[in-house]
Coordinates of all heavy atoms in Angstrom, one line a residue:
Chain A
R31 N -77.7 131.6 6.6 CA -78.8 132.1 7.1 C -78.9 133.6 7.3 O -77.7 134.2 7.4 CB -79.0 131.5 8.6 CG -78.5 130.2 8.7 CD -78.7 129.7 10.1 NE -77.5 129.4 10.7 CZ -77.4 128.8 11.9 NH1 -78.5 128.4 12.5 NH2 -76.3 128.6 12.4
W36 N -85.7 141.8 15.4 CA -87.1 142.0 15.8 C -87.2 143.6 16.0 O -86.4 144.2 16.7 CB -87.5 141.4 17.0 CG -87.7 139.9 16.8 CD1 -86.8 139.0 16.6 CD2 -89.0 139.3 16.9 NE1 -87.4 137.7 16.5 CE2 -88.8 137.9 16.7 CE3 -90.3 139.6 17.1 CZ2 -89.8 136.9 16.7 CZ3 -91.3 138.7 17.0 CH2 -91.1 137.4 16.9
K74 N -90.7 128.7 16.7 CA -89.4 128.7 17.3 C -88.8 130.2 17.5 O -88.3 130.4 18.6 CB -88.4 127.9 16.4 CG -87.9 126.8 17.2 CD -87.0 126.0 16.4 CE -86.6 124.9 17.3 NZ -85.8 123.8 16.6
Q75 N -89.0 130.9 16.4 CA -88.5 132.2 16.6 C -89.2 133.1 17.6 O -88.6 133.8 18.4 CB -88.7 133.0 15.3 CG -87.8 132.6 14.1 CD -88.0 133.2 12.8 OE1 -89.1 133.0 12.3 NE2 -87.1 134.0 12.2
D78 N -88.0 131.9 21.0 CA -86.6 132.4 21.3 C -86.7 133.8 21.7 O -86.0 134.1 22.7 CB -85.9 132.3 20.0 CG -85.0 131.0 19.9 OD1 -85.2 130.2 20.8 OD2 -84.3 130.8 18.9
R79 N -87.4 134.6 21.0 CA -87.4 136.1 21.3 C -88.0 136.3 22.7 O -87.5 137.1 23.3 CB -88.3 136.8 20.2 CG -88.4 138.3 20.3 CD -87.0 138.9 20.1 NE -87.0 140.3 20.2 CZ -86.0 141.1 20.4 NH1 -84.8 140.6 20.4 NH2 -86.1 142.4 20.5
N125 N -79.0 131.8 26.8 CA -78.3 132.5 25.6 C -77.1 133.3 26.1 O -76.1 133.3 25.4 CB -79.3 133.2 24.7 CG -78.9 133.1 23.2 OD1 -78.4 132.1 22.8 ND2 -79.3 134.2 22.4
N129 N -73.3 132.6 25.2 CA -72.5 133.6 24.5 C -71.3 134.0 25.3 O -70.3 134.2 24.6 CB -73.4 134.8 24.3 CG -74.2 134.8 23.0 OD1 -73.8 134.1 22.1 ND2 -75.2 135.5 22.9
R137 N -62.3 134.6 21.5 CA -61.4 135.7 21.7 C -60.0 135.2 22.1 O -59.0 135.6 21.5 CB -61.9 136.7 22.8 CG -61.1 137.9 23.0 CD -61.8 138.9 23.9 NE -62.2 138.3 25.1 CZ -63.4 138.2 25.6 NH1 -64.4 138.8 25.0 NH2 -63.6 137.7 26.8
R140 N -58.2 133.4 19.3 CA -57.7 134.2 18.3 C -56.3 134.8 18.8 O -55.4 135.0 18.0 CB -58.7 135.4 18.0 CG -59.6 135.1 17.0 CD -60.4 136.3 16.6 NE -61.5 136.0 15.7 CZ -62.7 136.5 15.8 NH1 -63.1 137.3 16.8 NH2 -63.7 136.2 14.9
K173 N -60.6 139.1 30.0 CA -60.6 140.0 28.9 C -59.3 140.9 29.0 O -58.7 141.2 28.0 CB -61.8 140.9 29.0 CG -62.8 140.8 27.9 CD -63.7 141.9 28.0 CE -65.0 141.6 27.1 NZ -66.0 142.6 27.3
Chain B
dA9 P -59.8 142.7 7.0 OP1 -58.7 142.3 6.0 OP2 -61.2 142.5 6.8 O5' -59.4 142.0 8.4 C5' -58.2 142.7 9.1 C4' -58.6 142.6 10.6 O4' -59.6 143.7 11.1 C3' -59.1 141.3 11.1 O3' -58.5 140.9 12.3 C2' -60.7 141.6 11.3 C1' -60.6 143.1 11.8 N9 -61.8 143.9 11.4 C8 -62.5 143.9 10.2 N7 -63.6 144.7 10.2 C5 -63.5 145.2 11.5 C6 -64.3 146.2 12.1 N6 -65.4 146.8 11.5 N1 -64.1 146.6 13.4 C2 -63.0 145.9 14.0 N3 -62.2 145.0 13.5 C4 -62.5 144.7 12.2
dA10 P -58.7 139.6 13.0 OP1 -57.4 139.0 13.5 OP2 -59.6 138.7 12.1 O5' -59.6 140.0 14.2 C5' -59.0 141.0 15.2 C4' -60.0 141.4 16.1 O4' -61.2 142.1 15.5 C3' -60.7 140.2 16.9 O3' -60.6 140.5 18.2 C2' -62.2 140.2 16.3 C1' -62.3 141.7 16.0 N9 -63.4 142.0 15.0 C8 -63.4 141.4 13.7 N7 -64.4 141.9 13.0 C5 -65.0 142.9 13.8 C6 -66.2 143.7 13.6 N6 -66.8 143.8 12.5 N1 -66.4 144.5 14.6 C2 -65.7 144.5 15.8 N3 -64.6 143.7 16.1 C4 -64.4 142.9 15.0
dA11 P -61.1 139.4 19.3 OP1 -60.2 139.5 20.6 OP2 -61.5 138.2 18.7 O5' -62.5 140.3 19.7 C5' -62.4 141.6 20.1 C4' -63.8 142.2 20.5 O4' -64.6 142.3 19.3 C3' -64.5 141.2 21.5 O3' -65.1 142.0 22.4 C2' -65.6 140.6 20.5 C1' -65.9 141.7 19.5 N9 -66.2 141.3 18.2 C8 -65.6 140.3 17.4 N7 -66.2 140.2 16.2 C5 -67.2 141.2 16.2 C6 -68.1 141.6 15.2 N6 -68.3 141.0 14.0 N1 -69.1 142.5 15.6 C2 -69.0 143.0 16.8 N3 -68.1 142.8 17.7 C4 -67.2 141.9 17.4
dG12 P -65.9 141.6 23.6 OP1 -65.7 142.4 24.7 OP2 -65.7 140.1 23.8 O5' -67.4 141.8 23.0 C5' -67.8 143.2 22.6 C4' -69.3 143.1 22.4 O4' -69.5 142.7 21.1 C3' -70.1 142.2 23.3 O3' -71.2 142.9 23.8 C2' -70.5 141.0 22.5 C1' -70.5 141.7 21.0 N9 -70.2 140.8 20.0 C8 -69.2 139.8 19.9 N7 -69.1 139.3 18.6 C5 -70.2 139.8 18.0 C6 -70.6 139.6 16.6 O6 -70.2 138.8 15.8 N1 -71.7 140.4 16.2 C2 -72.2 141.4 17.1 N2 -73.3 142.0 16.6 N3 -71.9 141.7 18.3 C4 -70.8 140.8 18.7
dC13 P -72.3 142.4 24.8 OP1 -72.8 143.5 25.5 OP2 -71.6 141.2 25.5 O5' -73.4 141.8 23.9 C5' -73.9 142.6 22.8 C4' -74.8 141.8 21.9 O4' -74.0 140.9 21.1 C3' -75.7 140.7 22.6 O3' -77.0 140.9 22.1 C2' -75.2 139.4 22.2 C1' -74.5 139.7 20.9 N1 -73.6 138.8 20.3 C2 -73.6 138.5 19.0 O2 -74.5 139.1 18.3 N3 -72.8 137.6 18.5 C4 -71.8 137.0 19.2 N4 -70.9 136.2 18.7 C5 -71.8 137.3 20.6 C6 -72.7 138.2 21.2
dA14 P -78.2 140.6 23.0 OP1 -78.5 141.8 23.7 OP2 -78.2 139.2 23.7 O5' -79.3 140.5 21.8 C5' -79.3 141.5 20.8 C4' -79.8 140.8 19.5 O4' -78.7 139.8 19.1 C3' -81.0 139.9 19.6 O3' -81.8 140.3 18.5 C2' -80.5 138.5 19.7 C1' -79.3 138.6 18.8 N9 -78.2 137.7 19.2 C8 -77.8 137.3 20.4 N7 -76.7 136.5 20.5 C5 -76.5 136.2 19.1 C6 -75.7 135.4 18.6 N6 -74.7 134.6 19.2 N1 -75.7 135.2 17.1 C2 -76.6 136.0 16.5 N3 -77.5 136.8 17.0 C4 -77.4 136.9 18.3
dA15 P -83.3 139.6 18.2 OP1 -83.9 140.6 17.5 OP2 -83.7 139.0 19.5 O5' -82.8 138.3 17.4 C5' -82.3 138.6 16.1 C4' -81.9 137.3 15.4 O4' -80.8 136.6 16.1 C3' -83.0 136.3 15.3 O3' -83.2 136.1 13.9 C2' -82.6 135.1 16.1 C1' -81.0 135.3 16.1 N9 -80.3 134.7 17.1 C8 -80.5 134.9 18.5 N7 -79.6 134.3 19.3 C5 -78.9 133.6 18.4 C6 -77.7 132.8 18.6 N6 -77.3 132.5 19.8 N1 -77.1 132.2 17.5 C2 -77.6 132.6 16.3 N3 -78.6 133.4 16.0 C4 -79.2 133.8 17.1
dC16 P -84.3 135.1 13.4 OP1 -84.8 135.7 12.1 OP2 -85.2 134.7 14.4 O5' -83.5 133.8 13.0 C5' -82.4 133.9 12.1 C4' -81.6 132.6 12.0 O4' -81.0 132.4 13.3 C3' -82.6 131.4 11.8 O3' -82.2 130.7 10.6 C2' -82.4 130.6 13.1 C1' -81.1 131.0 13.7 N1 -81.0 130.9 15.2 C2 -80.0 130.1 15.7 O2 -79.2 129.6 15.0 N3 -79.9 130.0 17.1 C4 -80.7 130.7 17.8 N4 -80.6 130.6 19.2 C5 -81.8 131.5 17.3 C6 -81.9 131.6 15.9
dC17 P -83.0 129.6 10.0 OP1 -82.7 129.6 8.6 OP2 -84.4 129.7 10.4 O5' -82.5 128.3 10.7 C5' -81.0 128.0 10.5 C4' -80.7 126.8 11.3 O4' -80.7 127.0 12.7 C3' -81.8 125.7 11.1 O3' -81.0 124.4 10.9 C2' -82.6 125.6 12.4 C1' -81.5 126.0 13.4 N1 -81.8 126.5 14.6 C2 -81.1 126.2 15.9 O2 -80.2 125.4 15.7 N3 -81.5 126.8 17.0 C4 -82.6 127.6 17.1 N4 -82.8 128.1 18.3 C5 -83.3 128.0 16.0 C6 -83.0 127.4 14.7
dG18 P -81.7 123.2 10.1 OP1 -81.2 123.3 8.8 OP2 -83.2 123.1 10.3 O5' -80.9 122.0 10.8 C5' -79.5 122.2 11.1 C4' -79.1 121.2 12.3 O4' -79.5 121.7 13.6 C3' -79.9 119.8 12.1 O3' -78.9 118.8 12.5 C2' -81.0 120.0 13.1 C1' -80.4 120.9 14.2 N9 -81.4 121.7 14.9 C8 -82.4 122.6 14.2 N7 -83.0 123.3 15.1 C5 -82.5 123.0 16.3 C6 -82.8 123.5 17.6 O6 -83.7 124.3 17.9 N1 -82.1 122.9 18.6 C2 -81.1 122.0 18.4 N2 -80.4 121.5 19.4 N3 -80.7 121.5 17.2 C4 -81.5 122.1 16.2
dC19 P -79.1 117.3 12.4 OP1 -77.9 116.6 12.0 OP2 -80.5 116.9 11.7 O5' -79.4 116.9 13.9 C5' -78.4 117.2 14.9 C4' -79.0 116.8 16.3 O4' -79.9 117.9 16.8 C3' -79.8 115.5 16.3 O3' -79.3 114.8 17.4 C2' -81.2 115.9 16.5 C1' -81.1 117.2 17.2 N1 -82.3 118.2 17.0 C2 -82.7 118.9 18.2 O2 -82.2 118.6 19.3 N3 -83.7 119.8 18.1 C4 -84.2 120.0 16.8 N4 -85.3 120.9 16.7 C5 -83.7 119.3 15.7 C6 -82.8 118.4 15.8

Side-chain angles (χ1 to χ4, degrees):
Chain A
R31 331 179 236 192
W36 285 73
K74 239 177 183 175
Q75 286 174 301
D78 269 2
R79 183 65 182 168
N125 215 28
N129 270 335
R137 185 172 53 237
R140 273 190 188 136
K173 252 187 189 176

